[in-house]
């Protein structure tokens, strides 16, 4: 398990001091209605919203200044990302399961994946609606995973360790190779970490802002996409449910000078947002 990272893509700060308190409970949006007869009806949000509450005692000055800049939006109004050390898979829950909304071609369904080669096809299974597969036409066919929130690529920062494990159906292939492509701010390719087999790990290089995991089956066939894992700061393992990596905005902030100075006690409340403006 790694440390917590927080900030905008390409400029996340690593906080190596453990938080005094860390509440990562999702807001389920559940409301109960009780009838006169005592029966209870429950309504809830279709997609629970992630909330984080963090606090540190006597935080080092450099880290305290970084969190202060994030809270006051000194470097712009855009969203921030929190690399949660308790999250074992930053793919979305549906991506990790190889599923999505039946019939959907957007980011809730088919667009969670894309072919990174001239050959190959990502499609919804004809026998199991809501399940998605990759068909490799030849040994060069390859598939990539999209970040399902604001950006098409997963936000990263230089120095962050990234690891990826291929879906179970691909992991069983002796011809499989996997990789993580690192991109600049404009989305152009910068570097790649590659490996033969189902697992690859690498450190985000200087100048990288985004990353995209990829897999090349190495042989023609149709393969389920369930079981993939993308991990920040640790080791990607098989069968880990997707936690996602949503854009977030600071909704609460406390800053108390500590004893001795210049240490400070910092508290942050964050909520998952849908817009780039945070």
């Amino acid at each position: 398990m790694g440390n917590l990272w927080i900030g905008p893509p390409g400029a996340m700060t690593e906080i190596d001091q453990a938080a005094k308190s860390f509440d990562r409970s999702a807001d389920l949006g559940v409301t109960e209605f009780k009838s006169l007869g005592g029966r209870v009806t429950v309504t809830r949000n279709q997609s629970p919203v992630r909330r984080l509450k963090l606090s540190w005692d006597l935080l080092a000055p450099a880290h305290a200044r970084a969190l202060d800049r994030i809270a006051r939006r000194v470097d712009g109004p855009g969203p921030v990302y929190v690399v949660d050390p308790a999250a074992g898979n930053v793919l979305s829950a549906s991506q990790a399961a190889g599923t999505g909304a039946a019939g959907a071609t957007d980011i809730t369904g088919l667009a969670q994946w894309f072919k990174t080669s001239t050959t190959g096809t990502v499609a919804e299974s004809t026998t199991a609606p809501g399940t998605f597969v990759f068909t490799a036409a030849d040994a060069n066919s390859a598939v990539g995973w999209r970040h399902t929130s604001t950006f098409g690529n997963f936000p990263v920062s230089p120095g962050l360790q990234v690891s990826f494990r291929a879906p179970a159906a691909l992991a069983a292939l002796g011809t499989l190779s996997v990789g993580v492509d690192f991109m600049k701010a404009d989305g152009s390719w910068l570097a790649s970490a590659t490996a033969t087999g189902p697992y690859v790990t690498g450190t985000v290089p200087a100048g990288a802002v985004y990353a995209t995991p990829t897999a090349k089956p190495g042989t023609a066939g149709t393969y389920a996409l369930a079981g993939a894992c993308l991990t920040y700061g640790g080791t990607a393992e098989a069968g880990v449910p997707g936690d996602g990596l949503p854009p977030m905005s600071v909704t609460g902030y406390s800053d108390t000078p500590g004893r001795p100075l210049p240490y400070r006690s910092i508290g942050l409340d964050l909520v998952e947002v849908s817009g780039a403006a945070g």
Side-chain angles (χ1 to χ4, degrees), residues 1 31 36 54-55 62-63 73 77 81 89-90 102 113 137 157-158 182-183 195 210 213 236 263 278:
M1 181 178 295
T31 304
L36 293 176
L54 301 161
S55 66
H63 290 162
R73 298 187 176 190
Y81 289 85
N89 189 353
V90 300
W113 305 273
S157 282
F182 299 109
M183 272 75 72
Y210 303 112
Y263 294 93

Side-chain angles (χ1 to χ4, degrees), residues 50 87-97 228-230 239-245:
R50 180 70 51 83
N89 189 353
V90 300
L91 297 179
S92 71
S94 59
Q95 273 182 318
C229 182
L230 178 63
V240 179
D243 264 291
L245 185 66

Side-chain angles (χ1 to χ4, degrees), residues 193-223:
T194 59
T196 300
Y199 174 79
V200 64
T201 185
T203 300
V204 180
V209 177
Y210 303 112
T212 295
T214 64
K216 181 186 292 186
T219 186
T222 297
Y223 308 99

Side-chain angles (χ1 to χ4, degrees), residues 44-66:
R44 61 178 297 170
N45 292 339
Q46 184 176 2
S47 299
V49 174
R50 180 70 51 83
R51 292 184 183 273
L52 294 177
K53 294 181 180 292
L54 301 161
S55 66
W56 293 265
D57 274 346
L58 300 179
L59 194 60
H63 290 162
R65 288 194 294 268

Side-chain angles (χ1 to χ4, degrees), residues 143-157:
V143 61
W145 280 252
R146 281 193 177 96
H147 184 228
T148 58
S149 294
T150 308
F151 302 96
N153 300 308
F154 290 83
V156 294
S157 282

Side-chain angles (χ1 to χ4, degrees), residues 79-235:
V80 298
Y81 289 85
V82 180
V83 176
D84 179 350
N89 189 353
V90 300
L91 297 179
S92 71
S94 59
Q95 273 182 318
T99 61
T105 58
D106 62 6
I107 208 69
T108 66
L110 188 64
Q112 296 177 92
W113 305 273
F114 64 102
K115 66 177 184 179
T116 63
S117 56
T118 57
T119 61
T121 306
V122 180
E124 187 171 357
S125 171
T126 57
T127 58
T131 299
F132 294 84
V133 297
F134 177 66
T135 298
D138 53 45
N140 294 317
S141 300
V143 61
W145 280 252
R146 281 193 177 96
H147 184 228
T148 58
S149 294
T150 308
F151 302 96
N153 300 308
F154 290 83
V156 294
S157 282
L160 178 62
Q161 179 186 337
V162 177
S163 64
F164 175 67
R165 188 172 296 276
L170 296 179
L173 300 173
T175 54
L176 175 69
S177 60
V178 292
V180 178
D181 294 334
F182 299 109
M183 272 75 72
K184 302 175 186 177
D186 61 3
S188 61
W189 180 87
L190 176 66
S192 295
T194 59
T196 300
Y199 174 79
V200 64
T201 185
T203 300
V204 180
V209 177
Y210 303 112
T212 295
T214 64
K216 181 186 292 186
T219 186
T222 297
Y223 308 99
L225 292 168
C229 182
L230 178 63
T231 298
Y232 288 179
T235 300

